[in-house]
Amino acid sequence: MSLLNNLNESQREAGKTINGPLLILAGAGSGKTRTITYRIAHMVQEMGISPYHILAVTFTNKAAKEMRERVHNLIGHEAEKIVVSTFHSFGMKMLRMYANFLGYESNFNIYDTDDQTKVVRNILKELGATVQETPKKIVSLISKLKEDGVSPEDYEKTVPSFLENYKVIIETYKKYKIELKKNNAMDFSDLLIFTNELLDNPEILEKVQDRYRYVMVDEYQDTNNIQYQIIKKIAKKHLNICVVGDEDQSIYGFRGANIQNILDFEKDYPNAKVVKLEQNYRSTDIILKAANSVIKSNKSSKGKKLWTVKEGGELLKLYMADDAIDEAYFITQKIIEGHKNGRKHSDFTVLYRTNAQSRIFEETLRRFNIPNKVFGGMQFYQRKEIKDIIAYLNVINNPRDAISLARVFNVPNRKIGDRTIEKMEEYARAHNIFLFEAIKNVDKLDRVNKATLDSLAEFAKIIDELIELAKESSVSEVFEALLSKTKYIESISPEEIEREQNIDELRTAIMELEKQFEFLTLADYLQETSLVSATDTLNESSDYVKLMTIHNSKGLEFPVVFLTGLEQEIFPGFAALADNSVLEEERRLCYVAITRAEEELYITYAKERMVYGRTSYMRPPSTFIEEIPNELVEGKRPVVETKVIEKKISTGIENFNPFKKPTNTDSKYKVGEKVVHKKFGNGIVKDIDDKAITIRFNEGEKKILLAMADRFLEQLN
């Protein structure tokens, strides 16, 4: 019996179409990963195609790992010969092999945004330039220009000369490229840009094409122009290209994703076969009908319609909150109720349009002792102690890396002043040598005291010893030696126990990778850590409420979803009101949010909300609410108002009240009742409203929030 018999009819059709171009339009929850993995297994086990010739590319480490594991479960060890990778990982492997063609050494490091910002900041300092733009903004501009294929020279020809600071930015862009190459470093954009450049080399291209005769691309709607070019070049010779995606889930236009790549696939490959996967295995019928109703307003859609055999389901719950505080309180209460009725905290997920909206949910859930975790905030590999140790490892792997080196000169504190570091950087530039070489020549610097010279000599000795150790030792051995020689743990104060715990967690992560990869090199380890995404660390077994942006939720599913902040100018955002293409992407984002829900979906919006220090009253509810039919919704439908009144709020954060109670809350306290307060002593309840209890003490009247009353008050019988 064929493996494909385990698939439904549409999935089976996609699975057996191997030769020639194939477009699989896979709706949300339609078993996309299952289809891909069975297709690969069928190719190897039943068609006799060598796994060596198969390349499968996706966007996240998590997705790649899941695909590898599923294929392995179907065909065993043969799966290990298949390259299942993210775009950046694939680019990294290509560049490790052919870096010399670009004038790089194969042990190059990858710079993250912080590293890039430091490079730009140093360049601006060197130029003696002051600009309006922050270094981070300049980094963002450079990345965009690079990904669009715009060189500094091209930019100079096209940028309007009246723009302030344009000459400084052009010069910074030029020096940035030089500086990275000098440091034997690349940024994330380079991983794709340089891979694309390598494929312009006929010799390399032929080798790659003959190796990867069957190409599969997951989430094709999210590809940008460079990724599109890379795939097109690789697949051009054999034309066995299969792309899988959903134009209705194209939500990354802001970072360069081009929806036209999937919409124009049939133009690029006129003989392409198209298979639609429309049966949904995730959500209830009610939820799918709501999603279909919203997305049908988009013109840039190929007309899929999700369906399920699971009829019915609970109606969508619509809640109109008084304000953001009330919205957070409502969601918290629903989570408490659901937990009492047997749901786990991990069954609940709160989705919002922007990261800034998370604060009030975090604070309110915390007040009620509900475990929660934000995804997309400060990630593990962005914490100071982790970045310090990774920077050390970067230097050990690639001593030319001046940015990582500058980070750890004085970590832990070696009493090396900023001026000494500047002198070494100046010396390195003047003598055209690497910064690490300058350290070894530090005795040649003017006016550097003996204590500093000794510290730098000791630092250089430690790095040299660790470089030698790394040549013949495991990553975990280098890690332990690094901690020991630098005395990093000893530098952490006893009160900072969490920092030490983070280092313990890093040790665990290294050991886990060593179990996964038998011969893990330091370069391999740094490659893996540099490509970790925001939700790769999501632990499904942990029992906490998840808080995340809708963008971070893509590809995930949850039993109960709270879709929050559905007001005009919030979701959809302000820009969507004047640009239909932006509105369509926002609608696709709403579609993604709705289709994350498996069983229950709550949609909330507020009558007033503070945004950028202003409170907007009577803000119109989102147009997306109107697009959901009445029969699918439980709760009061909004009355659409066109007028928005804005009032400046001077008190700002002081107005925050995470304990707001609904007006119908019954209090266990009564007016006239005697109570005792832990601090103020005996008192009498004077007044109770929906927010607070007023008590008259000997020293005067005090207001206590109802939600906090039980913590501070005792009733006297």
Side-chain angles (χ1 to χ4, degrees):
M1 187 177 83
S2 172
L3 286 165
L4 299 181
N5 288 340
N6 295 295
L7 305 178
N8 68 34
E9 188 178 344
S10 298
Q11 292 170 338
R12 198 157 51 247
E13 186 64 28
K16 73 180 185 183
T17 306
I18 305 302
N19 295 309
L22 172 65
L23 169 61
I24 304 174
L25 292 172
S30 62
K32 165 176 69 78
T33 306
R34 180 179 176 85
T35 304
I36 295 170
T37 51
Y38 269 87
R39 184 177 188 270
I40 293 171
H42 169 66
M43 289 166 70
V44 175
Q45 199 168 82
E46 296 174 345
M47 294 189 66
I49 293 171
S50 169
Y52 179 81
H53 292 310
I54 299 172
L55 169 66
V57 188
T58 187
F59 276 82
T60 67
N61 292 316
K62 187 177 179 185
K65 185 183 177 192
E66 184 184 359
M67 200 180 296
R68 275 195 298 270
E69 288 173 351
R70 289 203 193 185
V71 175
H72 187 275
N73 290 338
L74 290 172
I75 64 174
H77 292 298
E78 285 291 283
E80 295 167 13
K81 299 174 186 174
I82 302 167
V83 174
V84 182
S85 167
T86 65
F87 272 100
H88 287 92
S89 290
F90 175 75
M92 182 94 76
K93 286 169 185 161
M94 284 272 297
L95 291 164
R96 294 285 182 213
M97 291 171 65
Y98 301 111
N100 61 303
F101 282 79
L102 301 165
Y104 278 82
E105 295 176 17
S106 62
N107 65 335
F108 61 84
N109 286 342
I110 307 298
Y111 280 2
D112 64 12
T113 305
D114 283 351
D115 299 326
Q116 293 171 267
T117 304
K118 285 172 190 169
V119 172
V120 167
R121 192 177 288 117
N122 291 344
I123 292 169
L124 291 172
K125 193 174 178 181
E126 187 187 333
L127 294 171
T130 52
V131 293
Q132 278 188 326
E133 294 81 0
T134 63
K136 194 166 275 190
K137 280 188 178 178
I138 295 174
V139 165
S140 180
L141 173 63
I142 289 172
S143 295
K144 188 171 188 321
L145 291 171
K146 286 167 70 176
E147 289 173 4
D148 289 342
V150 180
S151 68
E153 293 72 25
D154 293 334
Y155 185 58
E156 192 168 9
K157 291 173 189 171
T158 57
V159 67
S161 59
F162 61 80
L163 286 183
E164 198 174 353
N165 309 316
Y166 85 98
K167 285 184 178 177
V168 172
I169 290 171
I170 291 165
E171 191 61 26
T172 302
Y173 184 8
K174 288 177 182 176
K175 285 184 174 292
Y176 173 85
K177 294 181 73 174
I178 295 167
E179 196 66 22
L180 258 65
K181 195 162 188 177
K182 189 174 84 176
N183 291 350
N184 195 35
M186 299 182 190
D187 59 29
F188 282 97
S189 298
D190 289 332
L191 293 181
L192 300 181
I193 291 164
F194 289 155
T195 298
N196 194 36
E197 277 186 33
L198 286 175
L199 294 173
D200 288 331
N201 181 306
E203 184 185 342
I204 295 173
L205 178 62
E206 189 173 7
K207 284 181 181 176
V208 174
Q209 288 177 333
D210 286 341
R211 166 78 194 272
Y212 304 115
R213 299 177 186 182
Y214 297 87
V215 181
M216 298 181 67
V217 186
D218 192 16
E219 305 289 3
Y220 192 64
Q221 78 282 346
D222 294 335
T223 53
N224 61 25
N225 293 334
I226 294 176
Q227 290 159 339
Y228 167 84
Q229 289 292 335
I230 290 169
I231 293 300
K232 194 171 183 181
K233 287 173 184 177
I234 297 172
K236 188 175 181 179
K237 184 173 181 179
H238 299 284
L239 291 177
N240 296 321
I241 176 171
C242 167
V243 302
V244 188
D246 182 1
E247 76 284 7
D248 293 333
Q249 294 187 74
S250 179
I251 58 174
Y252 295 115
F254 67 95
R255 66 183 191 200
N258 187 352
I259 192 174
Q260 289 304 130
N261 292 347
I262 192 167
L263 294 176
D264 293 343
F265 185 82
E266 294 153 273
K267 291 181 184 175
D268 291 336
Y269 304 94
N271 298 321
K273 183 171 183 173
V274 180
V275 178
K276 292 183 182 180
L277 306 184
E278 297 173 299
Q279 184 176 355
N280 177 283
Y281 294 90
R282 175 187 300 159
S283 307
T284 65
D285 185 44
I286 295 286
I287 291 169
L288 294 182
K289 283 178 177 174
N292 288 333
S293 297
V294 170
I295 202 64
K296 73 179 182 183
S297 297
N298 271 8
K299 301 271 191 298
S300 56
S301 178
K302 287 180 168 288
K304 291 185 311 303
K305 192 171 182 180
L306 297 179
W307 61 276
T308 178
V309 295
K310 298 185 288 184
E311 293 186 2
E314 293 197 32
L315 293 174
L316 276 60
K317 280 83 169 179
L318 189 63
Y319 181 72
M320 181 177 68
D322 292 335
D323 51 28
I325 298 163
D326 185 31
E327 181 181 49
Y329 185 85
F330 168 78
I331 289 169
T332 301
Q333 288 299 103
K334 289 300 172 186
I335 291 170
I336 292 169
E337 289 171 16
H339 194 250
K340 283 180 182 175
N341 292 329
R343 283 203 180 275
K344 297 179 292 186
H345 286 125
S346 57
D347 287 344
F348 302 97
T349 299
V350 181
L351 301 181
Y352 35 80
R353 179 65 182 83
T354 63
N355 272 311
Q357 293 168 260
S358 74
R359 178 191 60 82
I360 198 160
F361 299 118
E362 288 179 76
E363 294 182 1
T364 307
L365 289 167
R366 195 180 299 126
R367 299 290 184 184
F368 286 88
N369 297 315
I370 297 171
N372 64 91
K373 185 171 180 180
V374 178
F375 291 90
M378 177 66 81
Q379 299 301 309
F380 180 77
Y381 287 98
Q382 294 301 311
R383 294 166 188 169
K384 180 188 180 304
E385 57 277 10
I386 304 303
K387 284 187 74 75
D388 286 346
I389 292 170
I390 295 295
Y392 264 114
L393 294 174
N394 277 331
V395 172
I396 296 163
N397 177 62
N398 171 25
R400 285 171 54 182
D401 184 351
I403 294 298
S404 294
L405 197 56
R407 181 181 181 96
V408 297
F409 267 137
N410 209 31
V411 177
N413 192 337
R414 299 183 175 91
K415 297 182 179 176
I416 302 169
D418 291 342
R419 183 57 192 141
T420 302
I421 294 171
E422 285 174 13
K423 282 181 182 179
M424 285 188 296
E425 290 173 336
E426 288 166 6
Y427 183 87
R429 282 195 294 272
H431 292 80
N432 197 27
I433 59 174
F434 307 130
L435 189 55
F436 190 57
E437 291 301 312
I439 295 174
K440 294 182 175 183
N441 288 279
V442 72
D443 56 320
K444 297 177 182 175
L445 296 183
D446 296 330
R447 296 186 298 279
V448 178
N449 63 51
K450 187 175 183 307
T452 300
L453 289 175
D454 290 346
S455 290
L456 284 166
E458 178 62 21
F459 173 75
K461 181 171 175 277
I462 289 171
I463 297 299
D464 275 333
E465 287 174 354
L466 290 169
I467 289 171
E468 287 304 309
L469 182 68
K471 290 176 182 176
E472 55 188 28
S473 302
S474 68
V475 180
S476 54
E477 287 170 333
V478 175
F479 173 83
E480 297 300 342
L482 163 62
L483 294 179
S484 173
K485 288 177 181 292
T486 62
K487 296 183 168 51
Y488 192 96
I489 298 290
E490 290 86 335
S491 73
I492 299 173
S493 68
E495 298 82 43
E496 297 178 302
I497 186 68
E498 191 175 323
R499 294 184 63 199
E500 197 168 335
Q501 289 171 344
N502 287 336
I503 293 171
D504 286 339
E505 183 61 27
L506 184 62
R507 177 185 286 109
T508 302
I510 291 171
M511 292 172 71
E512 285 176 350
L513 267 180
E514 285 180 330
K515 285 180 187 175
Q516 190 178 338
F517 301 100
E518 190 175 352
F519 302 105
L520 185 75
T521 66
L522 181 56
D524 292 334
Y525 171 70
L526 292 170
Q527 173 177 314
E528 289 295 318
T529 58
S530 68
L531 300 174
V532 174
S533 70
T535 53
D536 283 339
T537 54
L538 193 153
N539 186 350
E540 297 292 350
S541 64
S542 298
D543 192 26
Y544 47 67
V545 177
K546 302 174 193 67
L547 308 175
M548 63 182 77
T549 64
I550 303 169
H551 283 99
N552 276 332
S553 77
K554 187 160 178 298
L556 305 175
E557 56 190 39
F558 317 100
V560 184
V561 169
F562 297 94
L563 177 52
T564 66
L566 261 77
E567 303 128 39
Q568 294 293 92
E569 300 182 23
I570 302 290
F571 191 28
F574 182 79
L577 303 183
D579 188 332
N580 196 57
S581 66
V582 177
L583 177 61
E584 290 215 350
E585 177 145 326
E586 290 279 285
R587 186 175 283 112
R588 291 194 291 269
L589 193 59
C590 183
Y591 175 83
V592 166
I594 292 171
T595 54
R596 297 312 93 194
E598 297 173 307
E599 300 167 20
E600 295 181 61
L601 176 63
Y602 290 83
I603 297 175
T604 63
Y605 65 101
K607 289 188 283 187
E608 66 181 65
R609 187 182 302 273
M610 183 180 287
V611 182
Y612 306 124
R614 292 181 172 273
T615 295
S616 296
Y617 298 93
M618 295 187 298
R619 185 184 294 278
S622 171
T623 185
F624 304 143
I625 294 177
E626 297 176 55
E627 292 169 357
I628 301 172
N630 288 334
E631 63 268 21
L632 304 178
V633 176
E634 177 186 301
K636 188 179 178 182
R637 300 288 297 201
V639 177
V640 180
E641 302 278 353
T642 55
K643 188 179 179 184
V644 177
I645 304 169
E646 290 192 336
K647 180 181 176 183
K648 181 73 177 176
I649 303 294
S650 58
T651 50
I653 192 74
E654 303 93 85
N655 290 294
F656 171 63
N657 175 8
F659 313 107
K660 180 174 180 180
K661 297 273 186 176
T663 55
N664 63 354
T665 298
D666 292 326
S667 171
K668 72 179 194 180
Y669 300 96
K670 307 294 180 196
V671 174
E673 183 181 8
K674 293 180 180 179
V675 295
V676 60
H677 190 279
K678 292 179 180 178
K679 181 179 177 182
F680 304 120
N682 292 337
I684 296 173
V685 178
K686 184 181 176 183
D687 186 39
I688 302 171
D689 60 26
D690 61 323
K691 300 178 185 177
I693 177 171
T694 304
I695 303 168
R696 186 171 66 247
F697 297 100
N698 289 334
E699 61 184 76
E701 291 183 1
K702 305 286 182 184
K703 275 195 174 187
I704 300 170
L705 295 169
L706 279 173
M708 298 290 287
D710 287 346
R711 295 190 186 184
F712 299 103
L713 297 177
E714 287 183 20
Q715 293 171 293
L716 296 176
N717 296 326

